[in-house]
Amino acid sequence: MVCSGLGNVKRGFESFTQECFEALSKAPSLDITLFKGGGESHHKAITLWNFHRDAWLAIQLGKLTGRGSYFIEQASFAFSLLPYIHRQQPDVIYFSDGAIGNMLWHWRRLTKQNYKLLFSNGGPLSPPFHRWDCVQQVTPTQFQIAIDAGEPAAKLSLVPYGIKISTKLQILSISERKALRCQLGLPENQPIILSVGAINKSHRRMDYVIREIATLPELRPYVLLLGQQEAESSEIIELGNQLLGADNFQVRTVASHEVANYYKVANAFVLASLGEGFGRVFLEAMSHGLPCLAHDYDVARFVLGKEGYLANFELTGSLATLVSQVLAEGDEQSKRHLRHQSIYERFSWEKLRPAYVEMIECCITGKNKARSLSLDKVSV
């Protein structure tokens, strides 16, 4: 499993790769090594040298080549990976970044090695997928798009993203929630609307969240935006302070293991983007029982199911109306447990692990039914 951003970047690709590695390492038929771009190396989890996309040199090389710093990170990461491929002779290389998949295809063609390339299409990228042996589609929509484009069904797997989730939801008491909010420096009694993702307006549309909440009457909810800051972030922060005020708005970037505490104390979760490859943050929010407010489109309907709150977020007032509805309904424990159970049954690693193992084994054999195979340990 390879992910150049893991250890440096807080995105869905990275959190998925880490959790997938941990979940599939428990499968006795798989022998998995994880290669990542940052952090410390551990047993079976190796950090490779690379030019991190935000580093000055990567940015300059990206400008010089016209390919961008992200491509430079991928290229340098792939270069560091090559000796390990030569020594370990993997059966499958499992990846989510298209650039590194293309580089590994060229290397395989030049060296005549026989590893298979398994692409997890969570971005998503559009077909054709000529260079990769197998493609994981994480939603029915993308699976059908690939079929309609002429991709062979035997090459495709419909396996959604998994998430690490407990079998039962533990809900904080009122006093515990107040104490945790105090510890996090958040208002003790004010409703909190949480949005998690890159702090931008072009995709995550954090500015839409701010403008909608600002239309609500006074004593409005507290808006907390959690995620990686980038070029557009300063504009988002300025807008939030202007329309909501510093006492009712905040942007934070926290470590991935700290995000759960914010889900525990929030009253509702919002993702204002008009399209997502999957929207893994939906799973995170629902795994904590939060009501999820989202734009009404196919992916949101698939992930959230009957438990989602959907509206047309292209229209002014849609989100504000949903927020008012959710807060008026209250925070019943029964509803939180229902949301949690919905996610556990459909997307927990405990439920999905067999499908992932089958997908990897099918990539090697080219057969449709991995469960009929008798395989020794597969190297990934």
Side-chain angles (χ1 to χ4, degrees):
M1 297 186 70
V2 298
C3 183
S4 68
L6 183 55
N8 292 320
V9 180
K10 300 176 179 66
R11 293 185 308 171
F13 281 0
E14 286 72 30
S15 60
F16 162 73
T17 302
Q18 181 63 46
E19 282 194 15
C20 188
F21 167 68
E22 294 170 359
L24 296 188
S25 293
K26 300 175 183 177
S29 63
L30 302 181
D31 178 15
I32 300 183
T33 305
L34 171 67
F35 294 92
K36 55 184 182 174
E40 296 182 1
S41 292
H42 302 284
H43 178 63
K44 290 288 187 177
I46 299 170
T47 302
L48 299 180
W49 169 87
N50 65 93
F51 292 121
H52 176 43
R53 69 193 72 172
D54 291 334
W56 179 85
L57 187 54
I59 293 172
Q60 299 308 311
L61 289 173
K63 292 178 179 177
L64 184 64
T65 60
R67 303 299 296 271
S69 61
Y70 184 40
F71 178 85
I72 299 301
E73 175 186 285
Q74 296 281 289
S76 55
F77 181 85
F79 178 79
S80 296
L81 181 65
L82 298 183
Y84 292 92
I85 295 176
H86 178 73
R87 289 198 299 269
Q88 296 187 9
Q89 297 291 305
D91 300 298
V92 176
I93 300 179
Y94 186 24
F95 61 97
S96 296
D97 286 297
I100 198 168
N102 288 332
M103 295 172 199
L104 294 174
W105 177 84
H106 284 294
W107 182 251
R108 183 177 65 177
R109 183 172 57 88
L110 289 172
T111 61
K112 309 301 182 183
Q113 291 182 264
N114 59 2
Y115 54 79
K116 299 294 181 67
L117 293 171
L118 171 56
F119 174 51
S120 179
N121 191 24
L125 297 181
S126 300
F129 306 114
H130 297 322
R131 293 178 172 177
W132 306 322
D133 303 282
C134 301
V135 178
Q136 173 193 3
Q137 302 287 17
V138 297
T139 68
T141 299
Q142 291 303 320
F143 183 88
Q144 191 59 49
I145 288 174
I147 292 292
D148 293 344
E151 292 290 332
K155 181 178 182 176
L156 305 172
S157 296
L158 175 54
V159 184
Y161 276 153
I163 189 170
K164 186 177 181 179
I165 178 175
S166 60
T167 55
K168 292 186 177 181
L169 176 62
Q170 300 296 323
I171 299 177
L172 298 181
S173 66
I174 294 176
S175 60
E176 288 172 332
R177 180 182 287 194
K178 284 186 176 182
L180 182 53
R181 284 189 174 195
C182 182
Q183 178 184 329
L184 296 173
L186 297 172
E188 292 185 14
N189 299 306
Q190 192 174 358
I192 293 177
I193 304 299
L194 175 66
S195 189
V196 178
I199 310 300
N200 65 43
K201 64 177 185 178
S202 54
H203 178 212
R204 300 297 185 180
R205 301 180 72 233
M206 300 290 194
D207 59 320
Y208 177 76
V209 177
I210 293 169
R211 295 181 192 280
E212 289 289 295
I213 301 300
T215 66
L216 295 175
E218 289 299 329
L219 301 178
R220 60 177 66 99
Y222 186 94
V223 175
L224 178 61
L225 308 181
L226 217 60
Q228 193 98 11
Q229 294 198 30
E230 47 187 48
E232 296 177 352
S233 300
S234 59
E235 186 178 345
I236 299 295
I237 295 171
E238 182 179 354
L239 182 67
N241 288 329
Q242 177 186 349
L243 297 184
L244 300 175
D247 293 337
N248 294 290
F249 163 79
Q250 193 171 165
V251 170
R252 292 186 183 181
T253 302
V254 301
S256 56
H257 67 274
E258 298 174 352
V259 177
N261 283 335
Y262 293 89
Y263 286 120
K264 290 177 183 178
V265 301
N267 294 87
F269 175 82
V270 175
L271 188 63
S273 50
L274 301 180
E276 293 284 341
F278 189 85
R280 198 163 181 271
V281 286
F282 287 141
L283 302 187
E284 295 176 0
M286 290 271 278
S287 72
H288 290 277
L290 283 179
C292 287
L293 289 60
H295 178 60
D296 189 1
Y297 65 111
D298 50 3
V299 171
R301 289 192 292 270
F302 168 66
V303 176
L304 298 178
K306 296 182 292 184
E307 310 306 324
Y309 290 81
L310 306 177
N312 185 355
F313 283 1
E314 293 180 290
L315 301 178
T316 300
S318 291
L319 174 57
T321 300
L322 275 189
V323 169
S324 298
Q325 175 188 339
V326 168
L327 295 181
E329 288 178 359
D331 198 19
E332 296 178 14
Q333 290 195 9
S334 60
K335 290 183 178 179
R336 285 206 166 205
H337 284 291
L338 189 62
R339 296 178 194 118
H340 169 276
Q341 194 62 25
S342 172
I343 294 301
Y344 180 83
E345 291 297 330
R346 293 184 295 139
F347 300 114
S348 69
W349 285 116
E350 285 73 20
K351 299 294 184 179
L352 288 177
R353 186 183 293 112
Y356 273 81
V357 173
E358 178 175 324
M359 174 179 67
I360 292 169
E361 293 178 342
C362 281
C363 186
I364 297 166
T365 64
K367 297 183 179 180
N368 289 329
K369 295 295 182 181
R371 65 177 65 92
S372 67
L373 303 176
S374 177
L375 296 176
D376 200 350
K377 278 202 169 184
V378 175
S379 175
V380 182

